[in-house]
Amino acid sequence: SLTIPMAIGAFTASYLAGFLAFGMPAGLVVRETVFVSMMQGTLGAPTALALALASRLLLTAAEFGAAAPFLLSSPERTRAQV
């Protein structure tokens, strides 16, 4: 059965592997591959893949959400306020 330390370890290892994969934008495919390879013995490959993809989607949405205020503000309005 999956434990919290196992989940944290797999997520952290896969995130770091993706971060260090300089040739891949945002660690694309690397992060998911590491996560699935670490979790497939515990969860099974289909469930591990579903979690890896859900993680990618949620992290991407969070990054866009954090960037949205800056992307939506106009440079002219920002310069006028300074």
Side-chain angles (χ1 to χ4, degrees):
S1 87
L2 181 64
T3 64
I4 296 294
M6 287 173 55
I8 291 171
F11 178 81
T12 302
S14 64
Y15 191 91
L16 286 174
F19 182 75
L20 295 174
F22 296 114
M24 303 301 285
L28 193 61
V29 178
V30 174
R31 189 166 78 196
E32 290 78 14
T33 302
V34 171
F35 185 85
V36 170
S37 67
M38 291 181 75
M39 298 306 294
Q40 68 183 351
T42 304
L43 300 175
T47 303
L49 181 59
L51 280 175
L53 295 176
S55 170
R56 170 65 71 177
L57 290 173
L58 288 172
L59 287 174
T60 301
E63 290 170 357
F64 276 119
F70 301 100
L71 295 172
L72 296 175
S73 67
S74 70
E76 294 82 24
R77 191 173 355 153
T78 305
R79 273 188 240 132
Q81 292 175 347
V82 175

